[in-house]
Amino acid sequence: APDPANRPFFVDAPQGRARALGTRYSVRTGSGEDGALTHVAVYEGRVVIEPRNGTAAALTLDAGQQTRFSDRATETPTAVTASASAWTRGMLVAEDMPLTAFVAELSRLSGRTVRCDPALNALTVSGTYPLSDPDAVLDLLAAAHGLQLELRRRWWGGVEARLSPP
């Protein structure tokens, strides 16, 4: 929400800082293959990206732009996709997303531990899926791709789901 006192709002990440300039935006620290990068997407207003240890100048993103940055530099901004903020409305949107990446996102956004056999790297997923029912999403993925879905109860009480070839 806008701040009548016009105080700055910062999000600090291991790679640097994102400073809001009257805006709505998301910041995601990296994991997996992009673990050394932070992703920022701007939906309204502007955001300044300041890499922590870099010699690169700060970069200002306008509404509709996104980028990733390391502690030393920023990548060239690209357009934000219409589905980038779907998670804020409880949805996961995929368009030709590798199944392993989709499962990682489902796990991250739903809080449910989900694994995917590396043998399924070539499969892709498209569609809009509700984050409120990860079990239904997993059942659908297994049925649509002819996969085996295994649920394991963990000794600490959680359930781990695993997708693998039939």
Side-chain angles (χ1 to χ4, degrees):
D3 179 14
N6 202 27
R7 294 171 292 193
F9 180 77
F10 300 101
V11 174
D12 287 323
Q15 293 76 24
R17 171 178 277 185
R19 178 171 42 104
L21 302 173
T23 189
R24 184 172 70 90
Y25 70 113
S26 65
V27 178
R28 176 178 169 194
T29 58
S31 61
E33 64 188 43
D34 67 346
L37 299 173
T38 294
H39 176 263
V40 176
V42 181
Y43 309 111
E44 295 175 13
R46 300 167 69 200
V47 172
V48 175
I49 306 299
E50 302 167 348
R52 186 168 311 284
N53 298 320
T55 56
L59 172 71
T60 300
L61 294 177
D62 293 314
Q65 291 184 309
Q66 65 183 353
T67 193
R68 297 184 315 171
F69 67 99
S70 71
D71 61 347
R72 302 200 180 279
T74 58
E75 293 182 356
T76 302
T78 60
V80 173
T81 61
S83 61
S85 65
W87 64 271
T88 65
R89 297 179 304 281
M91 302 301 287
L92 174 56
V93 178
E95 186 174 328
D96 290 326
M97 183 183 284
L99 180 62
T100 52
F102 179 85
V103 164
E105 276 296 281
L106 179 63
S107 185
R108 183 181 77 82
L109 293 171
S110 71
R112 176 80 182 272
T113 303
V114 183
R115 308 259 186 248
C116 188
D117 190 302
L120 303 175
N121 284 346
L123 290 178
T124 60
V125 176
S126 293
T128 303
Y129 302 88
L131 293 169
S132 62
D133 195 352
D135 289 334
V137 173
L138 292 169
D139 287 339
L140 178 65
L141 288 174
H145 292 283
L147 304 175
Q148 170 113 17
L149 174 60
E150 180 183 356
L151 300 176
R152 295 182 186 162
R153 289 234 176 260
R154 308 312 285 173
W155 63 272
W156 57 86
V159 176
E160 178 181 291
R162 181 172 176 82
L163 288 168
S164 57

